[in-house]
Amino acid sequence: MGKKKQKIILPPDLPPEVPDEEVEVSDEDLDFVDQHSDYANFMSKIDTPSLTKHVSRVADANEGALELLYEKKLRKKFENKEKEENTLEVDPIDALPLKTADGQLYYRRVKEPKEAAEESGESIKDPALVKPTKAEKRLKTKKLRKEAKKQAKEEEVQQTPQEEVLDEVKKDLTAEEANEKKKYKFAELGTTLLADPESNIRLLKEMLELSKDGDSTIVILGLKSLLAVFKDIIPGYRIRLPTEKEQEMKVSKDVKKMRFYESTLLSAYKAYVQKLVALQQQTAYQLVATRCLCTLVAAVPHFNYRESLLAAVVKDISSQDDVIRKLCCSAVKSLFTNEGKHGGEVTVEAVRRIAELVKSHNCQLHPDSLEVFLSLSFDEDLGKPERSDMDKKAKYKNFKKRKGSDESNQKPENDRKKSRKEMMSKTREEVNADYKAVSSDQDPQERRKMQSQTLSAVFQTFFRVLKHTVQPKSEGSVNGAFGSHPLLDPCLNGIGKFAHLIDLDFMADLMQCLRKLAGNGNKSADSSENSSCQLTVSERLRCCIVAFKVMRNNLDALNVDLQEFFIQLYNLILEYQPGRDDGDLLAEALKIMLCDERQHDMQRAAAFIKRLATFALCFRPAESMAALVTVKHLLQKNAKCRNLLENDAGGGSVAGAIAKFQPQVLDPNLCGALASVLWELNLLMKHYHPSVSSIAATISTMNANTNQVFRVHASPQQAYTELLKENESFATPSAIKRTNNKRKVSDSVPVQGPDLNSSDEIDENAIRSKLSQHFSLLHDIQENERLRSEMDHTRQSLNLYETYKMQKKRKARSN
Amino acid sequence: MRPLDENETVAVFNKLHKFVGNNLKNIVLESQAHEGPETNPGRYCFRMQKNRVYYVSESLVKRATNVKRDKLVSLGTQIGKFTKSGKFHLTVQCLNLLAANAKHKVWLKPTSETKFLYGHSLKKDGVGRITEGIQVNNGVVVFSMSDVPLGFGDAAKSTVDYRKMDPNGIVVHHHADIGEYLRMEDDL
């Protein structure tokens, strides 16, 4: 391709127009044309208006576009012009043409409805085009495609009309042409705008006009091109329209131009946003409109009209449609994380709107809508505003004092030096003030104010959700599409995350709510006021965890003991089911409530130890491990509980008031666990999983061991997750690892019996083949039986028939 | 010795309820007494002798009827006494019973144990731990950090207010403590 860096040469003047009919074509000419049809095609394809357009566009496009344009043009020139309607010509590269005896080249044709191809082509391309890295690149590729199709179209239009169908086709084509023209126009306007926004700003209006078309593709295309243009054009500051007074002032040309530019931009943008918001309601355009809105919100949150943008996005944050919802949620999240772009006001606004949404929907929203709150971040010292001020003042005072003392310490200076020092300090202050005014950092006071506003809105929402969950369900209340308490999980997570920022006043209320929530599953028996909110075990666990987090994070409340929640946890351990409930959550609860607590009531600790040991017997190795790690922690911390490891039932003197262990009692303080003995450890020592059995052995000898060696698993959560992963591909250890006695004793070894004495790695395929053999055998046996029974049945019926025949014969004979 | 009448029972139960709350049924109904030669465990009940109320198992009561009324000094565990004006006060001897069933507990730091045992009320800076959810005038049982019950009293502030209090404020009004065994040996 030698035409790479060519200068743009205007084409020569076109020859005078001669209508087609008057041209006389001789036979020779015809032959010549047929023989060299490749070259001659070019002549017939000249279309004056399109050519001029090409020329003008080529002039405007930049270099990269230029060369691609030329490439495409050349390639298209060598295609065959003769085509039937509604066929798509296959690129000669893909399918070689045929040459017939009389020298005609036949290019392969594919019958395809052009409309559909175009539409699908458009729609496939368009989603990819929505996220352009460079608007120009996209526009350019669009241009090229349009061009190619346009040329194809042109060829069709200029065919010699032979059939009547052509009339209809022509009508379609003219409509198509119009569409093409419009798309083409969009691309053109877009590039012009991006090339020089200030002068061409009125083209925006044109684009807007164009996009008011009836055809959906045009509208969608228009929206998207406008989106790309706006994203690049919009400045980094809010536009403030000049007031009356300012408009009357005499200003320079530049300022006038700027003003004009800004006002046009603003009005066009306003119209665009209004259109988007209107289109969001219509289902045909919903996805496109939402996408445009979200991109705008994420890209230009500082600009005007962001309130309407925000309103539209937040409205859809809980839509049923997954794609739309995800879009909106990610837009809002990016808003929260990129606070630098817009300052805190938009965050406040967004949070407020979400809170209102929750309120209006009565807490029946998709959990994603509250999960966006988890990406909020607050300053660490938000809870202590005055202290930092005081620190500042104190620092300043110290500074002054020091200066003063310096002065007084020194020998009495002459006045000049003193005044110089004063001047220096004065100038320093002035410099500081100037710097502050100029620097773009936000005033910390402002920032703090906005953050506290956001925080209060966030907590308002959380409390609303909590209160909604707590109150008893009236008969009229309908279960939303999301289940009864969809927002509870993210709400609790959020409270846990921001626990250190909660004010003391709300703490009591919050605790009460949590207590009610955590305990509700239990109380259905004896409470007459039937709060029928049955929370799952996971939710109740989460309540307990959050309560502890809140307490712990609030430094003033370190020594408060949460008895109720311990009672709840004690009972929740019993209610846990591995498939239905979240084991991770249970492990976290164990860690937070039991392992991290500094002090425990002896009775209570012993109760938990006993119950966890029993629990460890019932479930998979993962849960057992978590429970046993907790037991170990508790035993190490509470020395008195070690009499659970001694063999005196009845507890002796340490048992306290309660002489007998009652396992079914609900309250851990009253169950008398100090009087029990941990027999379960003996059973656990024979567990099939090696880690479980070893930790059980360690625990049972804890009294005798003076050196306490910490094991690898530091927390029940780690133990749980590790063993959970292992569980999926767990293989019974081979006989080598354990003594033969123990192996023989445990007959309850799982299925892989025959492989015990073989190598460590159990061959899955071998098992599979063996199992398949076994099952096919079973299947055959069953089939066999079935067939046999059928055979018996038929045999019986045959016999019956024969007897009947014989009887008939006999009758006939006797008759 | 006689069983308690209606009003007296109400008074005793009210007082106990202040300290143990719902666990009152543990004390009254479900506690099992393994004393005595019968194979079935009996129940505990309340009996009054000379204005003092005793918590005693039924089998013991049966045997105590054999002792003459004016010769009977005490039986079972004394939990409190009635004053001349008919009010009921809990005494220190019921501490074990209360401690086992208490709803609201306060744990003392080792440094302030002695003060409490001398009969002074409890200040905030002496408190090591405190149960959540205490309201004003609830009955509170005081423990040491090693879970030894030291005495009981009334809550002066709720847990919520407790957090905001200054360190010198009174948290628990003293009612009875085990130091009384030494101090007021004659009165008990």
Side-chain angles (χ1 to χ4, degrees):
Chain A
M1 293 307 205
K3 300 196 182 178
K4 292 234 157 123
K5 303 284 181 180
Q6 202 181 37
K7 283 223 176 107
I8 301 165
I9 307 172
L10 284 176
D13 289 328
L14 295 172
E17 287 276 346
V18 180
D20 276 355
E21 298 90 66
E22 290 175 25
V23 171
E24 282 185 346
V25 184
S26 66
D27 289 320
E28 250 183 44
D29 286 353
L30 271 175
D31 280 349
F32 181 82
V33 164
D34 284 339
Q35 272 179 18
H36 304 277
S37 54
D38 313 319
Y39 303 99
N41 277 345
F42 153 72
M43 301 297 291
S44 61
K45 278 191 243 165
I46 290 184
D47 177 284
T48 330
S50 81
L51 201 54
T52 46
K53 273 191 192 149
H54 285 197
V55 168
S56 66
R57 282 241 324 226
V58 160
D60 277 352
N62 62 1
E63 286 210 337
L66 190 59
E67 71 186 22
L68 275 167
L69 271 175
Y70 274 113
E71 276 182 32
K72 273 276 179 183
K73 274 191 196 163
L74 276 174
R75 211 182 297 154
K76 287 304 173 190
K77 269 180 201 165
F78 288 121
E79 278 184 8
N80 200 343
K81 68 153 182 161
E82 298 278 47
K83 270 192 292 199
E84 290 176 25
E85 316 93 62
N86 295 341
T87 57
L88 207 48
E89 198 166 74
V90 179
D91 203 331
I93 302 174
D94 297 331
L96 295 175
L98 306 165
K99 193 163 191 178
T100 54
D102 47 28
Q104 285 277 0
L105 277 176
Y106 284 100
Y107 286 88
R108 295 273 284 273
R109 299 176 196 130
V110 171
K111 212 174 176 71
E112 238 183 286
K114 260 216 149 193
E115 281 278 334
E118 249 186 38
E119 299 290 301
S120 60
E122 283 290 320
S123 52
I124 294 170
K125 283 174 223 135
D126 278 347
L129 294 177
V130 170
K131 302 187 198 315
T133 45
K134 280 200 174 152
E136 289 171 71
K137 216 202 273 180
R138 183 174 68 81
L139 286 171
K140 168 186 63 182
T141 42
K142 246 200 311 185
K143 261 187 291 180
L144 295 174
R145 258 179 251 114
K146 292 315 162 309
E147 232 191 294
K149 288 201 184 99
K150 200 163 175 31
Q151 290 196 346
K153 284 288 172 223
E154 297 304 327
E155 296 168 3
E156 287 192 24
V157 172
Q158 288 175 14
Q159 278 176 10
T160 47
Q162 299 275 337
E163 291 117 29
E164 300 96 38
V165 188
L166 264 175
D167 292 338
E168 211 184 273
V169 171
K170 262 203 171 161
K171 226 189 337 175
D172 275 345
L173 286 177
T174 44
E176 284 263 344
E177 244 193 68
N179 270 359
E180 287 306 309
K181 284 205 183 114
K182 285 190 192 156
K183 294 176 189 174
Y184 192 75
K185 191 94 178 117
F186 271 128
E188 186 191 336
L189 291 172
T191 7
T192 352
L193 267 172
L194 288 172
D196 186 7
E198 303 218 337
S199 354
N200 297 333
I201 196 71
R202 53 184 162 43
L203 294 180
L204 262 181
K205 301 262 180 177
E206 279 192 46
M207 279 179 94
L208 269 173
E209 280 299 319
L210 268 182
S211 65
K212 286 191 187 146
D213 202 279
D215 187 10
S216 62
T217 40
I218 299 288
V219 175
I220 291 179
L221 201 54
L223 290 179
K224 286 180 182 158
S225 7
L226 277 169
L227 172 72
V229 167
F230 274 123
K231 245 177 82 167
D232 285 338
I233 285 189
I234 284 184
Y237 52 88
R238 262 178 95 97
I239 293 185
R240 179 183 63 86
L241 287 179
T243 57
E244 297 284 326
K245 214 174 165 192
E246 284 177 5
Q247 273 174 342
E248 287 170 13
M249 288 194 312
K250 254 199 165 177
V251 291
S252 63
K253 243 194 223 172
D254 285 334
V255 177
K256 255 200 201 136
K257 193 171 165 205
M258 197 61 169
R259 276 202 194 149
F260 174 68
Y261 166 69
E262 284 183 351
S263 56
T264 337
L265 179 64
L266 206 58
S267 55
Y269 187 61
K270 182 171 175 187
Y272 179 60
V273 169
Q274 279 172 351
K275 198 173 163 82
L276 280 179
V277 172
L279 282 181
Q280 203 189 14
Q281 307 305 321
Q282 307 177 15
T283 41
Y285 302 116
Q286 203 173 17
L287 188 54
V288 179
T290 324
R291 208 170 277 208
C292 294
L293 284 167
C294 291
T295 334
L296 277 177
V297 159
V300 288
H302 55 279
F303 200 57
N304 312 41
Y305 303 124
R306 61 187 180 191
E307 298 92 14
S308 29
L309 277 182
L310 209 51
V313 168
V314 169
K315 207 168 21 154
D316 264 340
I317 213 170
S318 170
S319 98
Q320 298 273 14
D321 184 7
D322 275 344
V323 182
I324 293 188
R325 187 182 63 234
K326 287 227 158 47
L327 274 177
C328 296
C329 285
S330 51
V332 177
K333 271 188 202 163
S334 73
L335 207 62
F336 289 155
T337 40
N338 299 341
E339 274 212 25
K341 267 196 188 172
H342 56 79
E345 299 157 356
V346 185
T347 326
V348 179
E349 185 67 32
V351 168
R352 277 215 189 113
R353 278 183 196 270
I354 297 184
E356 278 172 26
L357 195 72
V358 169
K359 184 162 141 194
S360 57
H361 282 249
N362 197 18
C363 306
Q364 297 292 337
L365 288 179
H366 197 277
D368 278 352
S369 25
L370 270 199
E371 259 179 85
V372 295
F373 282 164
L374 291 175
S375 33
L376 280 170
S377 63
F378 295 101
D379 277 348
E380 280 312 310
D381 59 351
L382 199 56
K384 308 162 191 128
E386 287 94 60
R387 216 174 284 178
S388 55
D389 276 356
M390 274 165 32
D391 280 345
K392 256 200 272 182
K393 288 196 188 127
K395 263 198 253 171
Y396 188 55
K397 275 193 202 140
N398 278 341
F399 178 59
K400 264 203 152 173
K401 254 193 230 167
R402 228 175 344 108
K403 284 200 70 207
S405 62
D406 271 350
E407 290 188 11
S408 60
N409 275 348
Q410 290 164 6
K411 286 182 256 170
E413 303 280 313
N414 36 358
D415 289 333
R416 224 187 91 228
K417 265 206 173 169
K418 255 195 195 167
S419 61
R420 222 180 91 204
K421 275 201 174 153
E422 282 175 15
M423 282 253 306
M424 268 174 61
S425 61
K426 255 197 214 161
T427 42
R428 205 171 288 148
E429 280 175 34
E430 279 174 19
V431 165
N432 274 344
D434 272 336
Y435 179 66
K436 232 187 213 175
V438 168
S439 77
S440 56
D441 282 344
Q442 258 182 332
D443 189 12
Q445 295 279 2
E446 268 286 317
R447 191 176 153 82
R448 193 172 293 130
K449 198 174 74 163
M450 282 195 288
Q451 287 206 343
S452 37
Q453 280 177 0
T454 325
L455 193 63
S456 60
V458 166
F459 276 124
Q460 218 182 54
T461 328
F462 286 155
F463 287 151
R464 190 188 304 278
V465 173
L466 277 182
K467 287 253 157 73
H468 170 86
T469 324
V470 166
Q471 62 181 225
K473 258 196 245 181
S474 51
E475 297 93 18
S477 75
V478 185
N479 248 353
F482 301 115
S484 57
H485 302 289
L487 290 179
L488 189 61
D489 269 351
C491 167
L492 288 173
N493 279 342
I495 293 184
K497 187 169 178 211
F498 301 128
H500 55 289
L501 296 167
I502 297 185
D503 201 13
L504 277 180
D505 300 326
F506 298 126
M507 222 49 125
D509 221 4
L510 179 64
M511 279 304 170
Q512 212 185 25
C513 254
L514 286 173
R515 202 172 298 143
K516 255 195 240 173
L517 281 179
N520 257 325
N522 255 347
K523 290 209 180 135
S524 48
D526 45 42
S527 71
S528 51
E529 20 95 31
N530 186 15
S531 51
S532 57
C533 66
Q534 294 292 328
L535 294 181
T536 66
V537 169
S538 313
E539 285 172 348
R540 283 160 62 194
L541 273 177
R542 220 177 273 253
C543 289
C544 297
I545 293 178
V546 166
F548 271 84
K549 273 198 189 153
V550 166
M551 272 299 149
R552 197 159 291 151
N553 280 326
N554 220 297
L555 291 175
D556 300 334
L558 260 185
N559 53 3
V560 175
D561 173 71
L562 293 169
Q563 192 156 315
E564 287 272 341
F565 293 104
F566 278 114
I567 301 181
Q568 293 310 325
L569 183 64
Y570 190 68
N571 297 321
L572 281 173
I573 293 182
L574 272 190
E575 290 183 29
Y576 170 82
Q577 277 180 23
R580 174 187 73 169
D581 301 317
D582 193 0
D584 243 346
L585 207 55
L586 182 67
E588 198 186 333
L590 287 178
K591 174 172 191 303
I592 289 186
M593 294 171 80
L594 295 175
C595 298
D596 285 348
E597 280 283 310
R598 300 169 307 161
Q599 292 278 358
H600 267 304
D601 203 355
M602 284 302 136
Q603 281 279 356
R604 196 167 67 198
F608 271 109
I609 291 175
K610 181 75 179 162
R611 182 155 283 191
L612 282 172
T614 323
F615 173 80
L617 280 177
C618 307
F619 297 115
R620 303 171 292 189
E623 281 100 351
S624 311
M625 202 59 192
L628 285 176
V629 168
T630 323
V631 165
K632 192 154 189 282
H633 269 266
L634 284 172
L635 280 171
Q636 274 171 350
K637 284 206 184 140
N638 303 317
K640 267 203 193 151
C641 299
R642 299 217 189 130
N643 72 325
L644 282 168
L645 298 170
E646 306 289 340
N647 190 1
D648 49 353
S653 55
V654 202
I658 305 174
K660 196 170 136 198
F661 173 56
Q662 289 145 344
Q664 77 281 4
V665 168
L666 295 177
D667 190 347
N669 294 323
L670 298 175
C671 67
L674 279 172
S676 64
V677 185
L678 284 177
W679 302 114
E680 292 92 352
L681 288 180
N682 260 357
L683 280 175
L684 284 168
M685 283 201 278
K686 302 194 175 78
H687 200 266
Y688 63 89
H689 199 290
S691 351
V692 174
S693 54
S694 55
I695 195 178
T698 325
I699 295 179
S700 54
T701 53
M702 201 188 275
N703 254 346
N705 284 349
T706 42
N707 51 340
Q708 309 281 352
V709 181
F710 276 96
R711 273 188 65 85
V712 176
H713 305 296
S715 83
Q717 276 168 306
Q718 286 175 343
Y720 179 77
T721 38
E722 273 183 34
L723 256 74
L724 199 57
K725 276 183 239 156
E726 214 185 277
N727 208 20
E728 283 150 16
S729 57
F730 178 61
T732 324
S734 65
I736 307 171
K737 281 192 187 169
R738 312 181 126 264
T739 64
N740 283 331
N741 304 339
K742 285 211 173 146
R743 271 293 96 189
K744 282 178 192 151
V745 160
S746 53
D747 284 330
S748 57
V749 155
V751 187
Q752 301 122 9
D755 283 325
L756 263 188
N757 294 327
S758 58
S759 60
D760 272 352
E761 295 287 315
I762 292 186
D763 191 5
E764 265 196 42
N765 288 333
I767 296 179
R768 203 171 283 150
S769 59
K770 283 197 179 128
L771 280 175
S772 66
Q773 274 177 17
H774 171 78
F775 283 119
S776 56
L777 195 60
L778 276 180
H779 183 76
D780 286 342
I781 293 174
Q782 274 185 2
E783 269 292 315
N784 214 348
E785 279 186 17
R786 190 179 65 84
L787 289 171
R788 201 176 289 270
S789 68
E790 268 192 39
M791 194 174 72
D792 286 338
H793 189 75
T794 27
R795 204 175 275 163
Q796 264 188 10
S797 42
L798 276 176
N799 285 341
L800 203 59
Y801 182 65
E802 270 173 27
T803 41
Y804 168 71
K805 254 174 68 176
M806 275 207 302
Q807 278 191 5
K808 237 180 110 178
K809 264 191 205 158
R810 264 192 230 129
K811 265 194 191 167
R813 245 188 262 147
S814 59
N815 284 356
Chain B
M1 170 184 57
R2 59 175 177 84
L4 300 173
D5 70 3
E6 191 80 32
N7 297 339
E8 291 162 350
T9 322
V10 165
V12 170
F13 281 4
N14 270 344
K15 221 25 187 258
L16 283 177
H17 178 78
K18 231 176 63 158
F19 281 87
V20 303
N22 283 342
N23 292 336
L24 190 59
K25 64 178 184 327
N26 272 1
I27 299 180
V28 177
L29 294 176
E30 294 174 358
S31 56
Q32 297 190 323
H34 292 267
E35 304 160 346
E38 295 102 358
T39 43
N40 294 340
R43 292 215 320 224
Y44 279 92
C45 57
F46 295 93
R47 288 288 182 269
M48 179 125 96
Q49 164 83 347
K50 289 186 189 153
N51 272 352
R52 290 166 193 229
V53 180
Y54 297 96
Y55 179 68
V56 65
S57 67
E58 283 178 351
S59 57
L60 201 58
V61 166
K62 256 199 282 182
R63 281 160 197 78
T65 52
N66 295 330
V67 179
K68 216 166 148 195
R69 187 175 288 202
D70 49 349
K71 302 280 193 211
L72 184 62
V73 174
S74 117
L75 69 163
T77 315
Q78 175 182 351
I79 51 173
K81 39 176 146 169
F82 274 96
T83 59
K84 295 225 171 60
S85 53
K87 294 222 185 92
F88 180 69
H89 292 288
L90 288 168
T91 50
V92 68
Q93 292 98 328
C94 90
L95 181 61
N96 271 344
L97 191 63
L98 287 184
N101 298 303
K103 282 279 186 193
H104 309 294
K105 309 182 189 173
V106 172
W107 286 263
L108 280 193
K109 290 191 192 155
T111 45
S112 44
E113 275 174 24
T114 45
K115 283 207 82 176
F116 184 71
L117 291 178
Y118 282 149
H120 299 290
S121 290
L122 198 52
K123 286 203 203 150
K124 177 177 171 181
D125 52 1
V127 172
R129 262 195 319 159
I130 180 169
T131 321
E132 171 79 21
I134 299 182
Q135 304 301 321
V136 186
N137 279 338
N138 273 355
V140 164
V141 179
V142 176
F143 291 83
S144 79
M145 269 314 189
S146 41
D147 272 343
V148 175
L150 295 176
F152 54 88
D154 264 348
K157 296 268 170 82
S158 63
T159 319
V160 178
D161 295 333
Y162 156 81
R163 287 193 204 114
K164 304 186 202 161
M165 235 162 56
D166 61 328
N168 269 334
I170 291 187
V171 180
V172 173
H173 294 299
H174 168 282
H175 273 194
D177 64 90
I178 51 182
E180 284 178 12
Y181 284 116
L182 292 178
R183 295 196 316 267
M184 303 197 273
E185 203 177 326
D186 305 325
D187 292 344
L188 286 179

